[in-house]
Amino acid sequence: FFGGNPPCRPLTVQASVTRRAMAAAARAAEEKDKGNRMFTKGECERATQHYQKALDYLQDSSVITSREANDLACKVHSNWAAALLKQHASCPSSVALSEVIRHCDLSLAIDGGKHVKSLFRKGEALKMLGEYRQALDVLGKALRVEENNEQVRQLMDECEDMLEFGCDADPANAIDNNNSGGGGGTGDVATDDADVIVDEDEGVLGVLDRIRSEFLSNTDEAPADVSPAGPRVETHVLLMHGEGKFGKVLMPGAFESAAALASAVGFVRSQHFAATAEAIFVVVQKRDVSYPLVWWAHRWPLDDLDRDGVFVEVHHPGPATSPPEDRNRDGVAKQQHAKQRHATWFIPVETGGEAFGLQLHPSRASMHLGEAIRLDRDCVLIDEDLSLFP
């Protein structure tokens, strides 16, 4: 959570929320332990089911941003990778190995790239795929953390032996080692000259309707003397983890200055929920934005620049490296032009009439949010230099 100025100050947490957080963390740890027991018994499929339940508990809003949740999520992803490796031993599959790499990348994104078990398991998967040079690179990072780790040294020796016999895979078919996006997919590559397109699918439309309803609830319930300027929508991010599944994290004061925004984005990026999110929605009321003033700096669709409303900006994880056809003859990715995919809407505040058939508080002059307006691509609150994803 964020205060007005960095470093961000924690909000006061009520006792009921604290109890809820403790319960969610305890259930997540219990599911992880159950998964570990299934793994020990060789029941890897059941182990992964428990690991998924553990991650679900960690999405609870009461615990989602805690250090404990991040530490546990890091271990769960690494253990999930171990279970997939064990499954691969009995039923070889390149798809399973790709999933091993994905879970290791998610674990490493949370841990800052220093989780030795995840590095080792990723190295194992790359070796099994014949990607010995990439495996050596990953294992070298593990050795820099634990220089006396014999398992890592042995696996590195095996990879070096395979390279000595000329067994390296075709670089053009190498696994994209840097693509650690939480959604698991690469999406479309967007170049500097191409439009970044995000469709108004059911997920986006559902979030826009959600924000309208929240605004109406605040309008209807808030006393007339609470906010003379009208109802509010709290500044927050919504983390989408599948259809209809969202986690919410408040970010008060995030748009007060460039420094506050950088601090807020850095906090979100460091959390386990950002590594696994399919999309991240940023929601902020216009009157709470002191930076960036996009309605002054770029083309604005409304004549009244002072008109209040709510920004909703969606970010999808973009591809991290060029596709194989954009590699040079040595298999090295060319200069990266891919951008994080995003789109921004503005929902203006309107007065008069009815909204959604609800009876609104008369002192609020029937204030509600109107139709969402898709903004110009340059009207972006968080640009690609401040990625929300690890």
Side-chain angles (χ1 to χ4, degrees):
F1 298 111
F2 298 97
N5 296 296
C8 303
R9 60 181 184 274
L11 300 179
T12 301
V13 182
Q14 297 179 352
S16 59
V17 177
T18 302
R19 288 194 295 270
R20 176 179 163 187
M22 293 174 62
R27 292 190 183 101
E30 182 181 353
E31 290 296 337
K32 179 185 79 75
D33 292 341
K34 288 180 180 178
N36 291 349
R37 289 195 291 272
M38 292 298 104
F39 175 82
T40 301
K41 293 179 180 179
E43 299 183 35
C44 296
E45 183 63 33
R46 292 184 63 185
T48 60
Q49 293 172 4
H50 286 293
Y51 293 147
Q52 180 61 66
K53 289 180 181 178
L55 292 174
D56 289 342
Y57 280 122
L58 293 178
Q59 298 299 333
D60 189 284
S61 60
S62 65
V63 73
I64 191 170
T65 61
S66 69
R67 178 179 296 179
E68 292 78 8
N70 281 289
D71 291 343
L72 190 56
C74 177
K75 295 174 183 177
V76 169
H77 280 296
S78 187
N79 291 356
W80 196 326
L84 291 171
L85 280 171
K86 200 167 187 177
Q87 281 182 307
H88 174 79
S90 58
C91 184
S93 167
S94 60
V95 175
L97 292 176
S98 296
E99 279 295 290
V100 170
I101 294 172
R102 186 175 75 87
H103 281 287
C104 289
D105 282 342
L106 290 171
S107 176
L108 293 167
I110 298 167
D111 186 68
K114 296 181 180 180
H115 195 262
V116 173
K117 289 183 178 180
S118 297
L119 290 167
F120 177 75
R121 288 160 184 165
K122 182 175 181 178
E124 280 190 294
L126 288 167
K127 174 179 176 288
M128 292 175 185
L129 287 166
E131 308 296 344
Y132 305 114
R133 295 185 189 278
Q134 293 188 52
L136 282 171
D137 181 60
V138 171
L139 294 169
K141 295 176 182 178
L143 209 58
R144 285 194 288 273
V145 180
E146 292 184 8
E147 60 181 15
N148 295 321
N149 191 308
E150 290 301 322
Q151 279 187 307
V152 173
R153 288 183 179 276
Q154 181 179 342
L155 191 58
M156 291 183 73
D157 289 341
E158 294 173 4
C159 290
E160 289 170 350
D161 289 343
M162 297 305 291
L163 285 173
E164 187 176 343
F165 287 105
C167 297
D168 198 21
D170 182 0
N173 296 321
I175 293 291
D176 183 357
N177 203 19
N178 294 315
N179 186 6
S180 56
T186 58
D188 299 324
V189 175
T191 66
D192 287 339
D193 298 324
D195 289 333
V196 181
I197 300 175
V198 177
D199 294 330
E200 293 185 22
D201 57 15
E202 292 183 2
V204 171
L205 295 176
V207 169
L208 295 177
D209 287 340
R210 174 180 178 142
I211 301 307
R212 289 193 188 93
S213 298
E214 180 179 332
F215 190 86
L216 283 175
S217 298
N218 291 341
T219 302
D220 194 32
E221 297 173 3
D225 59 350
V226 169
S227 176
R232 304 185 67 82
V233 169
E234 294 177 304
T235 303
H236 63 277
V237 294
L238 292 172
L239 298 308
M240 188 171 76
H241 292 87
E243 185 176 354
K245 296 176 64 177
F246 292 94
K248 179 179 179 180
V249 181
L250 299 180
M251 298 200 310
F255 291 90
E256 289 186 353
S257 66
L261 183 58
S263 177
V265 171
F267 176 80
V268 172
R269 187 171 56 243
S270 69
Q271 304 303 306
H272 70 93
F273 54 76
T276 57
E278 297 177 11
I280 298 179
F281 292 84
V282 181
V283 181
V284 58
Q285 196 156 346
K286 180 171 175 281
R287 67 184 185 187
D288 291 330
V289 179
S290 298
Y291 174 89
L293 302 178
V294 295
W295 56 93
W296 285 101
H298 304 290
R299 186 167 52 192
W300 190 246
L302 302 176
D303 293 332
D304 184 2
L305 294 178
D306 295 327
R307 188 172 178 180
D308 196 19
V310 176
F311 289 100
V312 179
E313 186 167 285
V314 59
H315 291 258
H316 291 278
T321 60
S322 306
E325 61 269 20
D326 285 341
R327 296 175 182 268
N328 62 26
R329 68 179 63 187
D330 296 320
V332 178
K334 295 180 180 179
Q335 184 178 0
Q336 180 53 258
H337 294 297
K339 291 183 179 180
Q340 180 173 297
R341 296 173 295 159
H342 62 260
T344 310
W345 288 264
F346 182 72
I347 318 177
V349 171
E350 296 184 355
T351 59
E354 292 185 350
F356 300 95
L358 298 180
Q359 183 67 37
L360 304 179
H361 198 293
S363 64
R364 299 292 185 168
S366 299
M367 299 179 68
H368 60 276
L369 294 179
E371 291 296 320
I373 302 171
R374 179 74 172 267
L375 298 180
D376 184 86
R377 60 175 295 177
D378 291 328
C379 285
V380 58
L381 298 173
I382 301 175
D383 61 26
E384 59 269 15
D385 294 330
L386 288 176
S387 173
L388 288 161
F389 296 91

